[in-house]
């Protein structure tokens, strides 16, 4: 499908390319066992595939064989159908973005110079490079005017990592390889960077291969996850949902760790579940209307919205009486809301910490959309797990059928040859 | 005649000697830097080649300079040739050693990153490794220069140029009226030159070490 428009070709964004690994093997001289043993994998254009596994399992080696930083001992690598196993590695690497842990920025160059490296190497015009640098900085959420001339050491770890990603994407490569890129930043920054990457990928649709040892990171980012065991043997290569609900073996379930159901909450967003509704009034409503609404609703609570329809206060029956009818004094302030894009895990966290066990959901400008409480959460989680289980079962059936068809075919073929 | 009167009287001669001294050191440093960095670039990747280069250059340094010049005279003759050869050889060690140490000290993840984004071998060396190794190399050049300032004085022995002539003349006429003045003028001249060169190196460092890696 997606034609790799040459890097110096039209500015139309090159979207992802497929990657095929065929019997990819790396054997170091002097060791009996190969470090990576015959990896076969097909990565679709525009998907994020995560290699996850214990340290020393060869995931990083496998990644580095894709851009041939490590030359494979045997096997083929095909990008977008083109066999790149024997082409000039320098040429190959200019088509494949590469981002590494602790950013790998060159300390003696400014942010702009770092980002401009690859476009300069492939001979872009100066004006085009300048505008591209600004565009990339913008894309990764850094103000071009402010960061343009800074040196890497004048940036925080998270900012360096953003520039690292910007540099990797500068020449618009169809494929991006990321080797534990967020491994060296603090958990909060890592969370932000992960969100950013998801947002970027929504815009760019690159093919991303991402190595991590953090399974939670894998679930959060991956379209598909390859769980690797020693020598890069693929233990399971599937969607996060399938791996969580139906781990292939003990190794995978051990790696998934406890709390698969909890982790499943990370995969669903609030917008995907049914929200409850509570009666609302706004601060502009006359008191009488508020009383009427409370009486009519049959519930105990009202949500008071401010002028811009943002959740403001929870009002209970009796609150108004105690405050002698003054809205300013009545009720408890809403101190926590979640957005529609929050994960169910965030929502659960908010519900658990709320003293009445519910949390308001807000839209993009903070306006009220609905309410999530324990009950809605429980129901949707149950439904989700049930659906996952069914999917997994079906998937398994299919595989088994395929396998039995295959063996049948082989047997027939074998007997056919024997009689012929 | 006191020292100041001596300086006043011999101003022309002293300035010419000082200029020749500085010029000899400068030219030898340029050659030594080029050769030294080249040796460093060629050898730093291999453990044994790097060590060999360091050992050979430090062996050269242990030869007394007077003996070195003496040994060179039958080979290259008198005058400028033995001076330049000896100075260049002596100047190599700090540069070669610092070039190797500097190039080996470049963070391997950066080299990996450079490879990963598609920089060729030459490109990596010129754009990444040498600029990052430049501060230690410049330090090596500074050390070399200081050393050559002193060694260049010995060159007068092989009728080479420079302030060494002043010193040797003084030593030869020891006991005469101007002997002490001559030795003093030559020595102080060399010290002043060394300080001037060092100031220039500080300036060069300011101008050539990128702000991002300046300490």
């Amino acid at each position: 499908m997606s034609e790799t428009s040459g890097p110096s070709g039209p500015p139309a964004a090159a979207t992802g390319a497929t990657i095929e690994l065929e019997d990819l093997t790396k054997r170091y001289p002097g060791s009996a066992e190969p470090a990576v043993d015959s990896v076969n994998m097909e990565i679709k254009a525009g998907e994020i595939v995560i290699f996850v596994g214990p340290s020393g399992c060869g995931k990083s080696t496998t990644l580095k064989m894709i851009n041939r930083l490590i030359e494979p001992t045997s096997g083929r690598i095909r990008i977008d159908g083109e066999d790149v196993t024997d082409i000039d590695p320098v040429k190959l690497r200019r088509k494949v973005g590469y981002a590494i842990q602790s950013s790998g920025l060159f300390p003696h160059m400014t942010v702009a110079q770092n980002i401009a490296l690859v476009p300069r190497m492939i001979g872009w015009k100066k004006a085009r490079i300048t505008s591209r640098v600004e565009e990339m900085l913008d894309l990764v959420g850094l103000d071009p005017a402010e960061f343009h001339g800074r040196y890497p050491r004048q940036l925080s770890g998270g900012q360096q990592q953003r520039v690292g990603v910007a540099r990797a994407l500068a020449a618009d490569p169809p494929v991006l390889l990321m080797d534990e890129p967020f491994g060296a930043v603090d958990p909060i920054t890592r969370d932000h960077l992960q969100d950013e990457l998801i947002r970027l990928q929504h815009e760019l649709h690159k093919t991303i291969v991402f190595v991590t040892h953090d399974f939670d990171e894998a679930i959060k980012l991956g379209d598909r996850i390859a769980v690797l065991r020693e020598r890069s043997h693929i233990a399971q290569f599937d969607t996060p949902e399938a791996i969580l609900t139906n781990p292939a073996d003990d190794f995978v379930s051990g790696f998934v760790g406890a709390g698969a159901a909890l982790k499943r909450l990370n995969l669903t967003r609030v917008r995907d579940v049914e929200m409850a509704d509570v009666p609302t009034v706004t601060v502009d409503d006359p008191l009488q209307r508020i009383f009427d609404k409370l009486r009519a609703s049959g519930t105990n609570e009202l949500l008071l919205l401010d002028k811009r329809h943002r959740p403001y206060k929870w009002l209970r029956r009796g609150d108004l009486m105690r405050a002698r009818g003054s809205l300013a004094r009545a009720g408890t302030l809403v101190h926590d809301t979640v957005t529609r894009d929050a994960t169910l895990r965030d929502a659960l966290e908010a519900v658990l910490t709320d003293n009445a066990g519910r949390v308001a959901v807000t839209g993009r400008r903070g306006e009220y959309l609905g309410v999530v409480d324990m009950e809605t959460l429980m129901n949707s989680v149950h439904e989700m797990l049930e659906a996952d289980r069914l999917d997994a079962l079906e998937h398994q059936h299919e595989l088994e059928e395929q396998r039995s068809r295959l063996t049948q075919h082989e047997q027939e073929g074998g007997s056919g040859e024997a009689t012929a | 005649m006191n020292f100041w009167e001596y300086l006043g009287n011999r101003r022309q001669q002293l300035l010419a000697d000082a200029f020749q001294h500085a010029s000899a050191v400068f030219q030898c440093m340029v050659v030594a830097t080029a050769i030294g960095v080249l040796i460093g670039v060629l050898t730093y990747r291999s453990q044994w080649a790097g060590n060999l280069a360091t050992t050979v250059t430090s062996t050269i340094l242990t030869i007394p300079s007077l003996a070195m010049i003496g040994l060179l005279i039958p080979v290259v003759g008198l005058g400028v040739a033995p001076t330049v050869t000896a100075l260049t050889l002596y100047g190599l060690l700090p540069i070669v050693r610092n070039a190797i140490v500097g190039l080996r000290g470049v963070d391997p993840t950066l080299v990996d990153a450079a490879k990963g984004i598609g920089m060729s071998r030459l490109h990596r060396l010129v754009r990444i490794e040498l600029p990052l190794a430049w501060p230690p190399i410049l330090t090596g050049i500074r050390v070399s220069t200081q050393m050559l300032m002193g060694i260049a004085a010995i060159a007068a022995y092989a009728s080479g140029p420079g302030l060494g002539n002043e010193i040797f003349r003084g030593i030869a006429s020891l006991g005469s009226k101007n002997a002490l003045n001559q030795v003093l003028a030559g020595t102080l001249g060399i010290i002043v030159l060394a300080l001037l060169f060092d100031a220039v190196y500080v300036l060069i460092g300011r101008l050539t070490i990128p702000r991002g890696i300046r300490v």
Side-chain angles (χ1 to χ4, degrees):
Chain A
M1 40 167 289
S2 66
E3 284 230 349
T4 32
S5 56
S8 49
T15 49
T18 58
I19 304 174
E20 287 162 72
L21 308 180
E22 189 185 304
D23 287 328
L24 207 57
T25 302
K26 179 66 190 180
R27 204 181 287 275
Y28 285 106
S31 68
E33 300 282 334
V36 172
D37 186 14
S38 191
V39 173
N40 281 289
M41 189 178 275
E42 268 179 44
I43 295 166
K44 289 179 223 150
E47 76 174 337
I48 304 188
V49 165
I50 315 276
F51 291 175
V52 64
S55 21
C57 72
K59 52 190 190 298
S60 215
T61 311
T62 311
L63 182 88
K64 284 181 181 166
M65 280 197 282
I66 298 178
N67 66 358
R68 291 182 38 221
L69 274 180
I70 294 176
E71 287 289 348
T73 315
S74 63
R76 315 301 304 171
I77 307 148
R78 271 186 287 275
I79 292 181
D80 226 8
E82 184 200 349
D83 194 327
V84 295
T85 327
D86 299 312
I87 70 167
D88 179 11
V90 170
K91 228 175 261 167
L92 163 67
R93 288 175 200 142
R94 289 180 188 176
K95 287 199 293 186
V96 176
Y98 185 56
I100 59 173
Q101 184 164 8
S102 64
S103 84
L105 295 180
F106 302 124
H108 59 300
M109 300 181 185
T110 62
V111 165
Q113 286 169 333
N114 264 290
I115 298 176
L117 271 174
V118 187
R120 269 175 63 174
M121 283 191 291
I122 58 180
W124 282 17
K125 292 248 160 47
K126 212 164 189 179
R128 186 171 172 210
I129 295 175
T130 316
S131 70
R132 182 67 177 167
V133 168
E134 313 278 286
E135 189 189 336
M136 292 320 293
L137 279 172
D138 227 20
L139 185 73
V140 296
L142 295 174
D143 177 18
E146 191 186 342
F147 288 95
H148 191 274
R150 287 212 201 173
Y151 284 94
R153 68 167 177 194
Q154 297 166 311
L155 306 178
S156 72
Q159 291 165 342
Q160 288 185 15
Q161 208 57 60
R162 282 162 203 254
V163 178
V165 172
R167 184 178 70 184
L169 288 171
D172 210 8
V175 174
L176 179 60
L177 306 180
M178 308 183 85
D179 193 355
E180 299 207 29
F182 309 148
V185 291
D186 64 89
I188 297 171
T189 311
R190 188 182 316 151
D191 223 45
H192 279 301
L193 289 172
Q194 290 165 346
D195 291 337
E196 290 278 296
L197 183 66
I198 294 172
R199 182 183 60 78
L200 273 182
Q201 177 65 353
H202 270 300
E203 288 177 36
L204 302 175
H205 306 288
K206 302 286 178 192
T207 305
I208 300 180
V209 185
F210 188 109
V211 164
T212 178
H213 56 255
D214 177 0
F215 193 72
D216 292 316
E217 186 167 65
I219 301 178
K220 183 167 175 187
L221 296 176
D223 292 320
R224 284 196 295 164
I225 299 175
V227 184
L228 304 177
R229 60 171 103 214
E230 70 283 2
R231 275 174 276 139
S232 224
H233 281 301
I234 300 173
Q236 190 168 6
F237 184 30
D238 215 331
T239 60
E241 289 86 351
I243 288 178
L244 281 176
T245 47
N246 194 30
D249 55 22
D250 287 348
F251 176 81
V252 178
S253 50
F255 207 81
V256 170
L262 272 179
K263 284 176 185 165
R264 184 67 181 79
L265 292 179
N266 271 334
L267 291 173
T268 314
R269 311 257 155 196
V270 171
R271 65 177 122 79
D272 301 328
V273 303
E274 239 173 86
M275 281 180 282
D277 221 356
V278 292
T280 59
V281 288
T282 65
V283 279
D284 295 332
D285 285 334
L287 271 180
Q288 193 52 48
R289 211 178 111 83
I290 297 177
F291 276 121
D292 289 345
K293 210 149 188 187
L294 251 181
R295 220 169 292 131
S297 70
T299 56
N300 262 332
E301 270 186 325
L302 277 184
L303 183 58
L304 182 63
L305 308 177
D306 68 8
K307 287 194 178 97
R308 290 156 72 184
H309 280 264
R310 293 178 302 197
Y312 173 45
K313 273 179 177 178
W314 291 102
L315 286 179
R316 281 171 203 237
R317 231 179 260 271
D319 275 351
L320 276 174
M321 307 294 186
R322 267 194 296 282
R324 295 203 197 83
S326 154
L327 268 184
R329 268 179 288 166
T332 45
L333 283 171
V334 173
H335 56 82
D336 202 6
T337 60
V338 293
T339 64
R340 291 177 72 227
D341 289 324
T343 63
L344 284 197
R345 196 192 170 105
D346 296 337
L348 179 66
E349 174 81 30
V351 167
L352 286 177
T353 47
D354 188 89
N355 50 11
R358 39 62 186 141
V359 62
V361 181
T362 56
R364 226 173 345 149
R365 280 174 300 279
E367 76 279 15
Y368 166 81
L369 293 174
V371 163
V372 168
D373 60 16
M374 213 47 173
E375 212 184 318
T376 44
L377 278 179
M378 287 243 284
N379 287 342
S380 42
V381 170
H382 278 301
E383 274 170 32
M384 242 158 44
L385 290 179
E386 196 52 42
D388 284 351
R389 245 192 297 276
L390 288 177
D391 276 354
L393 272 179
E394 207 170 305
H395 190 61
Q396 220 168 359
H397 274 304
E398 264 173 38
L399 277 181
E400 270 164 26
E401 254 173 53
Q402 240 174 12
R403 224 169 284 154
S404 65
R405 254 202 313 258
L406 221 80
T407 40
Q408 208 180 352
H409 187 72
E410 271 169 22
Q411 278 164 353
E412 279 171 5
S415 62
E417 266 167 40
T419 49
Chain B
M1 207 190 308
N2 72 17
F3 182 58
W4 297 114
E5 285 164 4
Y6 176 80
L7 283 189
N9 278 345
R10 302 289 180 88
R11 206 176 50 221
Q12 285 301 324
Q13 176 65 37
L14 283 172
L15 281 178
D17 275 346
F19 174 77
Q20 285 193 328
H21 199 97
S23 147
V25 169
F26 173 75
Q27 291 177 41
C28 293
M29 277 314 299
V30 171
V31 179
T33 303
I35 299 176
V37 172
L38 188 69
I39 294 178
V41 165
L42 292 177
T43 58
Y44 79 102
R45 277 163 192 277
S46 134
Q47 196 63 43
W48 72 265
N51 293 348
L52 183 72
T54 321
T55 316
V56 169
T57 47
S58 57
T59 311
I60 294 175
L61 199 63
T62 58
I63 304 172
S65 40
L66 201 56
M68 166 78 90
I69 289 174
L71 287 172
L72 283 170
I73 291 174
V75 185
V76 294
L78 285 172
V80 174
T83 312
V84 170
T85 319
L87 288 188
T88 308
L89 283 176
Y90 281 118
L92 281 181
L93 170 73
I95 300 175
V96 168
R97 197 184 40 206
N98 281 29
I100 292 177
V101 169
L103 286 168
R104 282 188 181 161
V106 173
D107 185 351
T109 58
L110 290 182
V111 180
D112 211 44
K115 250 194 244 178
I117 63 171
M119 290 179 124
S120 64
R121 170 88 186 74
L122 184 70
H123 216 133
R124 266 187 336 257
L125 187 69
V126 174
R127 297 290 315 274
I128 308 298
E129 290 175 292
L130 279 177
L132 288 177
W134 177 237
I137 295 177
L138 190 62
T139 310
I141 295 175
R142 254 175 102 170
V143 172
S144 264
T145 310
Q146 302 295 319
M147 212 169 66
L148 292 200
M149 279 293 169
I151 294 176
I154 312 289
Y157 174 75
S159 32
L163 287 164
N165 288 310
E166 200 72 11
I167 300 175
F168 272 98
R169 243 177 274 142
I171 292 174
S173 59
L174 222 54
S176 78
K177 224 171 26 169
N178 271 332
L180 186 65
N181 282 340
Q182 284 175 327
V183 175
L184 210 55
T187 314
L188 286 177
I190 289 173
I191 292 175
V192 170
L193 277 187
L195 290 176
L196 282 177
F197 265 70
D198 218 42
V200 172
Y201 281 125
V202 172
L203 196 68
I204 291 178
R206 280 254 151 236
L207 293 175
T208 56
I209 298 176
R211 217 146 42 84
I213 52 173
R214 211 179 289 157
V215 268

